[in-house]
């Protein structure tokens, strides 16, 4: 029933910026954590950034200082501001929201960083 809808992916030059958005088409009760994952060709899906309902944010070492996660709990929305993008950031990015009993995933949005 509940779906996560992502937007904001695209093709950018190295050093450029993108802002990803994730929104729900319904209400998810009791969200414990929210986060962004990415998967590059031939690699495992990895956690990029996550946030708890109380606001604690964690980042992968590879994106610290460049990416910023933000959220709007009232609307169950989440954003990922990506600055100083590098070719190694190229991946399919997924939105994830978790309650104690369920995991919700977006369809993925492609981010490509290339000259």
């Amino acid at each position: 029933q509940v779906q996560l809808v992502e937007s904001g992916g695209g093709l950018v030059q190295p050093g450029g910026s993108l802002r990803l958005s994730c929104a729900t088409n319904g209400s998810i009760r009791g969200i414990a954590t929210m986060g962004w994952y990415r998967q590059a060709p031939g690699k495992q899906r990895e956690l990029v950034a996550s946030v708890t309902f109380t606001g604690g944010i964690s980042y992968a070492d590879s994106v610290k200082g460049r990416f910023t996660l933000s959220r709007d709990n009232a609307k169950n929305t989440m954003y990922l501001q990506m600055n100083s993008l590098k070719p190694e950031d190229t991946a399919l990015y997924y939105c994830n929201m978790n309650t104690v009993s369920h995991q919700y995933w977006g369809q993925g949005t492609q981010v490509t960083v290339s000259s």
Side-chain angles (χ1 to χ4, degrees):
Q1 181 180 351
V2 174
Q3 295 180 329
L4 304 185
V5 181
E6 298 154 314
S7 62
L11 173 65
V12 297
Q13 301 265 89
S17 298
L18 285 173
R19 186 177 187 245
L20 306 184
S21 299
C22 175
T24 66
N25 68 347
S27 178
I28 302 177
R29 294 183 177 181
I31 294 177
T33 62
M34 306 165 64
W36 290 94
Y37 289 74
R38 67 185 182 187
Q39 187 168 23
K43 296 186 179 296
Q44 292 183 302
R45 186 177 299 182
E46 65 173 344
L47 179 64
V48 176
S50 64
V51 60
T52 66
F53 182 76
T54 53
I57 301 175
S58 297
Y59 297 95
D61 288 341
S62 59
V63 307
K64 286 181 179 177
R66 300 188 297 119
F67 291 11
T68 302
L69 185 155
S70 60
R71 64 189 175 98
D72 184 337
N73 285 338
K75 298 181 178 180
N76 287 340
T77 56
M78 181 173 60
Y79 309 92
L80 185 67
Q81 178 67 45
M82 305 185 295
N83 299 326
S84 302
L85 284 161
K86 304 175 180 179
E88 51 262 45
D89 294 318
T90 296
L92 191 63
Y93 283 70
Y94 296 91
C95 174
N96 167 248
M97 297 185 183
N98 300 299
T99 68
V100 68
S101 59
H102 292 89
Q103 295 184 354
Y104 301 90
W105 292 90
Q107 78 286 353
T109 185
Q110 179 67 39
V111 172
T112 302
V113 185
S114 179
S115 298

